[in-house]
Amino acid sequence: MSSNHDHQHANPADYGWRQRAAPNAESRVEYYERGGVKMDYYPTTGTGKTQMFRRHLSGQDFSRVLDNPRAHTG
């Protein structure tokens, strides 16, 4: 599988996340999973969804979420 990952943000694979499905070409969402936690990420808008929904994640915020999906940002 290949990701449309925005290189301004961290690569989820570097944090142990594995891509669980091919990116959706229409919505541009990328699907990841790590340790039973699923994450949907929209690199074009910086929006991520794990147990919590976050909008406009900066590169640093996205890295914190990759490291700890329950991290509060902002």
Side-chain angles (χ1 to χ4, degrees):
M1 273 178 267
S2 115
S3 162
N4 294 327
H5 184 68
D6 177 348
H7 295 287
Q8 291 179 324
H9 288 101
N11 182 345
D14 292 343
Y15 290 81
W17 292 85
R18 69 172 179 82
Q19 200 168 19
R20 52 186 176 104
N24 182 309
E26 187 175 327
S27 67
R28 299 184 182 150
V29 65
E30 298 177 5
Y31 306 99
Y32 297 94
E33 183 172 6
R34 182 183 79 181
V37 176
K38 295 178 181 176
M39 175 179 62
D40 300 344
Y41 179 61
Y42 298 80
T44 56
T45 62
T47 301
K49 178 182 178 288
T50 56
Q51 289 93 344
M52 298 183 289
F53 189 80
R54 299 164 188 87
R55 293 182 191 260
H56 310 295
L57 292 170
S58 70
Q60 183 178 14
D61 290 340
F62 185 54
S63 292
R64 284 193 301 177
V65 170
L66 291 173
D67 190 44
N68 177 3
R70 294 179 185 216
H72 293 275
T73 58

